[in-house]
Amino acid sequence: RTRATPEADNALRRAVLASRVRAAVPLGVARVGGLIDAVAFSPDGRYVAGGLKNGTVAVVSSMVRPGERARVLPSAPLSPDDTCSSLSAAGQVALAFSADGGAIAAVNGKGWIQVWSWPQPTAPATSPFCLGRTTPPAWSSLTALVLSDVGRPAALTFASKDAVVLVQGDGRVLRWSWRTRAKPVVVGTAERQI
């Protein structure tokens, strides 16, 4: 007899979610995009958030009914002066609901974090850092950073109602207070790269 592992349970949840979100987010809808990179369930199990390859985050009821549509969260304003927002279409790598279900966080493939209030989302709070840095990267170093895996996120979770923790592929663990938008703090490192 085989025992279920957390990894197997997670894989099953992702497969079920992907089928539900695909039903609610038709692949032909250009505004929403199509392929899902990351998923997260709300703590009460009522909602499922999906991070799409085009950088969009959509939320749908976990009990999708025929014809029901996903709710696309508002996009962050893009600015030519903000290197990180220019990389917003890097696809969402990780998503998380806060413990009380009152916020949703997403991090894209370049380490740019967005946090929305839920269930009444407005424009997200966005991190002023990305690409493995704790300060905004300079345009002059952008090409090398974008082409590398430096700062590639591995996991994202809420540390509290007001802060998220990002584990990067290089093992660094960053804590960012999204309500105050303070500079992120490196709070530790993993023993090996993730």
Side-chain angles (χ1 to χ4, degrees):
R1 207 172 152 145
T2 306
R3 292 185 128 180
T5 64
E7 292 82 13
D9 183 59
N10 191 24
L12 178 61
R13 286 178 183 262
R14 284 178 175 250
V16 169
L17 167 71
S19 66
R20 286 184 178 171
V21 174
R22 273 194 210 112
V25 184
L27 296 180
V29 178
R31 179 177 166 204
V32 174
L35 302 176
I36 299 169
D37 276 342
V39 297
F41 286 87
S42 64
D44 62 8
R46 291 179 48 206
Y47 298 101
V48 181
L52 307 175
K53 287 203 177 291
N54 68 357
T56 302
V57 175
V59 182
V60 67
S61 167
S62 59
M63 305 308 277
V64 176
R65 294 179 254 314
E68 187 173 348
R69 300 295 235 178
R71 184 173 182 180
V72 177
L73 299 183
S75 298
L78 303 181
S79 166
D81 299 329
D82 179 0
T83 307
C84 297
S85 75
S86 301
L87 303 170
S88 65
Q92 302 301 338
V93 173
L95 295 171
F97 276 89
S98 60
D100 66 359
I104 300 170
V107 62
N108 73 8
K110 297 302 177 187
W112 190 47
I113 302 171
Q114 299 180 79
V115 182
W116 294 266
S117 58
W118 182 256
Q120 300 298 323
T122 56
T126 59
S127 64
F129 58 92
C130 59
L131 299 169
R133 302 173 58 92
T134 57
T135 58
W139 280 105
S140 59
S141 62
L142 184 62
T143 303
L145 288 168
V146 169
L147 295 176
S148 74
D149 273 343
V150 170
R152 178 140 180 95
L156 176 74
T157 190
F158 278 85
S160 68
K161 281 180 85 166
D162 302 331
V164 293
V165 172
L166 173 66
V167 179
Q168 296 183 314
D170 62 4
R172 288 187 309 148
V173 180
L174 299 176
R175 180 183 173 109
W176 178 55
S177 177
W178 63 273
R179 287 202 195 265
T180 63
R181 298 184 183 169
K183 182 179 175 184
V185 177
V186 177
V187 294
T189 57
E191 292 182 19
R192 58 183 172 78
Q193 287 191 344
I194 299 170

